[in-house]
Amino acid sequence: TLNEVDISTTSGAGALKGLNIGNPSGFETDKAFSLGLVSVKMDTGTITSDTIVIKEIVVQAPDITYEIGSGGSNLDKLKENADAYVKVASGGGGGSSSSSADSADGKKLIIEHLYIREAKMNVSATFLGGKKFGATLPEIHLTDIGKEDNGAGPGEIADQVISAITDSATGALSGIDFGDMAGKVTEQLGDIMGSAGGMASGAADAAKGQATDLMKKATEGTGGAGEALKGLFGGAKK
């Protein structure tokens, strides 16, 4: 969903406000991205050409949720969905990758600079029923997207941007307050095990054991806690 668009074809400046991207089916958190304000500066001389040059995109203070499920993360699934959409839109033939789909006729983009600033990352796992734990991402700066191939299609751009966010999210695990998180995870597991239709006892016991291990390692330093968290969430997959 998008609340507002303001773009000037004469100056090349524009903004997208209130852009929200929901989660694919099977995930518990309410959305994957809430982008707030996205500002754009285009090269107006390229607007009517086959390859549009965007000089700068700044995504300011987005709210990003990275949720781990049994088959991978929500961001992985969004990438798969984007690839599938581009393939269908371009006729559905050829290879299965986004780059092959994007090679069909249509507008291409070159993005000289893309910044993602002051991003808040929420980390979750599907079995936590929508519970999220926060971390702050360092600034992400991508340059010359599509330049080498004289333009990139939407699938390729989405792949690069989501991959950069996923890499940054994995690194940001070290910034989470693991001691506080361990207590919340254990409390949530107790709620799950006590509710009707909760986990099978064997799976619940295993998860509780991992949470206990996390609590222990949280007192031993961030590195140990980070590894325990990755185990609890089933491994952060790129």
Side-chain angles (χ1 to χ4, degrees), residues 117-238:
R117 293 173 172 161
E118 300 177 17
K120 177 184 177 184
M121 170 62 68
N122 300 298
V123 183
S124 184
T126 302
F127 77 87
L128 293 178
K131 292 284 187 179
K132 297 180 288 189
F133 305 95
T136 300
L137 297 187
E139 179 176 292
I140 297 172
H141 181 198
L142 303 179
T143 60
D144 295 332
I145 299 174
K147 188 172 185 178
E148 184 175 343
D149 298 322
N150 195 32
E156 183 180 354
I157 292 171
D159 182 79
Q160 290 188 47
V161 172
I162 295 177
S163 291
I165 292 172
T166 303
D167 289 345
S168 185
T170 302
L173 291 176
S174 62
I176 295 175
D177 183 347
F178 291 107
D180 180 61
M181 182 176 182
K184 291 179 180 178
V185 169
T186 304
E187 179 182 351
Q188 180 66 15
L189 286 171
D191 292 342
I192 291 172
M193 288 184 285
S195 64
M199 289 182 177
S201 59
D205 289 344
K208 185 176 181 181
Q210 289 178 310
T212 301
D213 185 48
L214 172 61
M215 293 179 69
K216 179 180 177 181
K217 291 189 177 182
T219 63
E220 299 172 357
T222 301
E227 292 305 312
L229 176 63
K230 291 178 184 178
L232 178 63
F233 278 177
K237 300 179 180 179
K238 295 182 184 178

Side-chain angles (χ1 to χ4, degrees), residues 46-139:
T46 65
I47 290 176
T48 59
S49 67
D50 290 338
T51 300
I52 299 173
V53 176
I54 300 177
K55 303 182 75 63
E56 182 182 86
I57 296 177
V58 178
V59 182
Q60 189 68 35
D63 193 297
I64 304 166
T65 297
Y66 184 70
E67 181 178 340
I68 304 299
S70 59
S73 75
N74 58 336
L75 302 190
D76 292 331
K77 186 61 178 177
L78 282 174
K79 286 172 60 178
E80 292 174 9
N81 290 349
D83 291 347
Y85 174 81
V86 173
K87 182 178 179 181
V88 171
S90 63
S96 60
S97 69
S98 63
S99 58
S100 64
D102 288 340
S103 66
D105 292 340
K107 291 286 187 180
K108 302 281 188 175
L109 299 173
I110 293 175
I111 303 175
E112 294 182 348
H113 295 276
L114 188 149
Y115 297 91
I116 301 175
R117 293 173 172 161
E118 300 177 17
K120 177 184 177 184
M121 170 62 68
N122 300 298
V123 183
S124 184
T126 302
F127 77 87
L128 293 178
K131 292 284 187 179
K132 297 180 288 189
F133 305 95
T136 300
L137 297 187
E139 179 176 292

